[in-house]
Amino acid sequence: MKRIAEWIQTKNPELDREPSPTEDLIEARLIDSLDFLEFIYLLEDLSGRPIDLQEVSVDDFRTLERIAHRFLRPEAGTTS
Protein backbone atom coordinates (compact mmCIF):
# COMPACT_ATOMS: atom_id res chain seq x y z
CA MET A 1 0.00 0.00 0.00
CA LYS A 2 2.97 2.28 0.50
CA ARG A 3 3.65 2.49 -3.25
CA ILE A 4 0.00 3.34 -3.89
CA ALA A 5 0.02 6.05 -1.23
CA GLU A 6 3.27 7.44 -2.68
CA TRP A 7 1.75 7.48 -6.19
CA ILE A 8 -1.30 9.37 -4.89
CA GLN A 9 0.93 11.90 -3.11
CA THR A 10 3.04 12.37 -6.26
CA LYS A 11 -0.10 13.10 -8.29
CA ASN A 12 -1.37 15.46 -5.57
CA PRO A 13 1.62 17.49 -4.37
CA GLU A 14 -0.67 19.71 -2.28
CA LEU A 15 -1.57 16.66 -0.16
CA ASP A 16 0.58 16.83 2.96
CA ARG A 17 -0.36 13.40 4.33
CA GLU A 18 -1.00 9.84 3.24
CA PRO A 19 -4.65 9.11 2.48
CA SER A 20 -6.38 7.12 5.19
CA PRO A 21 -7.43 3.53 4.38
CA THR A 22 -11.12 4.53 4.31
CA GLU A 23 -10.87 7.92 2.60
CA ASP A 24 -12.88 8.11 -0.63
CA LEU A 25 -10.11 8.73 -3.16
CA ILE A 26 -12.50 9.58 -5.96
CA GLU A 27 -14.69 12.00 -3.98
CA ALA A 28 -11.52 13.67 -2.67
CA ARG A 29 -10.30 13.89 -6.29
CA LEU A 30 -7.05 12.14 -5.43
CA ILE A 31 -7.43 9.85 -8.44
CA ASP A 32 -8.77 11.57 -11.52
CA SER A 33 -9.83 10.29 -14.90
CA LEU A 34 -6.63 11.49 -16.58
CA ASP A 35 -4.44 9.39 -14.29
CA PHE A 36 -6.76 6.40 -13.95
CA LEU A 37 -5.07 4.18 -16.54
CA GLU A 38 -1.68 4.89 -15.02
CA PHE A 39 -3.15 3.88 -11.67
CA ILE A 40 -4.47 0.64 -13.20
CA TYR A 41 -0.98 -0.14 -14.54
CA LEU A 42 0.45 0.43 -11.06
CA LEU A 43 -2.08 -1.99 -9.54
CA GLU A 44 -1.34 -4.57 -12.22
CA ASP A 45 2.36 -4.24 -11.49
CA LEU A 46 1.85 -4.59 -7.74
CA SER A 47 -0.58 -7.52 -7.99
CA GLY A 48 1.22 -9.31 -10.81
CA ARG A 49 -2.13 -9.77 -12.58
CA PRO A 50 -3.96 -7.92 -15.34
CA ILE A 51 -7.11 -6.03 -14.39
CA ASP A 52 -10.05 -6.58 -16.72
CA LEU A 53 -11.86 -3.23 -16.73
CA GLN A 54 -15.09 -4.98 -17.70
CA GLU A 55 -15.03 -6.90 -14.42
CA VAL A 56 -14.49 -3.99 -12.03
CA SER A 57 -16.50 -0.98 -10.94
CA VAL A 58 -15.55 2.48 -9.78
CA ASP A 59 -16.33 1.36 -6.22
CA ASP A 60 -13.37 -1.04 -6.39
CA PHE A 61 -11.07 2.00 -6.48
CA ARG A 62 -12.75 4.27 -3.91
CA THR A 63 -10.57 3.55 -0.87
CA LEU A 64 -7.16 2.09 -0.14
CA GLU A 65 -8.92 -0.51 1.98
CA ARG A 66 -11.12 -1.60 -0.95
CA ILE A 67 -8.17 -1.57 -3.39
CA ALA A 68 -6.17 -3.84 -1.08
CA HIS A 69 -9.12 -6.20 -0.66
CA ARG A 70 -10.03 -6.31 -4.36
CA PHE A 71 -6.61 -6.38 -6.00
CA LEU A 72 -3.76 -7.09 -3.58
CA ARG A 73 -4.88 -10.11 -1.56
CA PRO A 74 -3.29 -13.40 -2.70
CA GLU A 75 -6.70 -14.80 -3.69
CA ALA A 76 -7.81 -11.56 -5.41
CA GLY A 77 -8.38 -12.09 -9.06
CA THR A 78 -9.25 -15.76 -8.73
CA THR A 79 -12.72 -16.91 -9.59
CA SER A 80 -14.71 -19.40 -7.56
Side-chain angles (χ1 to χ4, degrees):
M1 293 311 299
K2 184 154 183 66
R3 280 190 53 200
I4 294 171
E6 288 171 353
W7 183 89
I8 290 169
Q9 287 179 294
T10 299
K11 296 296 179 178
N12 300 278
E14 72 284 354
L15 189 65
D16 59 354
R17 59 176 174 73
E18 283 191 12
S20 76
T22 59
E23 181 174 3
D24 191 320
L25 304 172
I26 295 169
E27 287 291 321
R29 298 181 189 260
L30 298 178
I31 300 175
D32 66 25
S33 59
L34 297 176
D35 294 321
F36 188 71
L37 283 180
E38 184 181 338
F39 187 66
I40 294 294
Y41 295 140
L42 173 65
L43 290 178
E44 288 178 334
D45 183 51
L46 293 173
S47 70
R49 293 182 297 275
I51 294 172
D52 184 346
L53 294 179
Q54 294 179 2
E55 294 183 12
V56 296
S57 76
V58 70
D59 290 333
D60 292 326
F61 303 95
R62 285 204 177 271
T63 67
L64 292 176
E65 190 174 78
R66 180 66 181 152
I67 290 166
H69 177 78
R70 179 69 169 88
F71 302 106
L72 302 178
R73 293 178 305 140
E75 66 275 9
T78 62
T79 55
S80 349

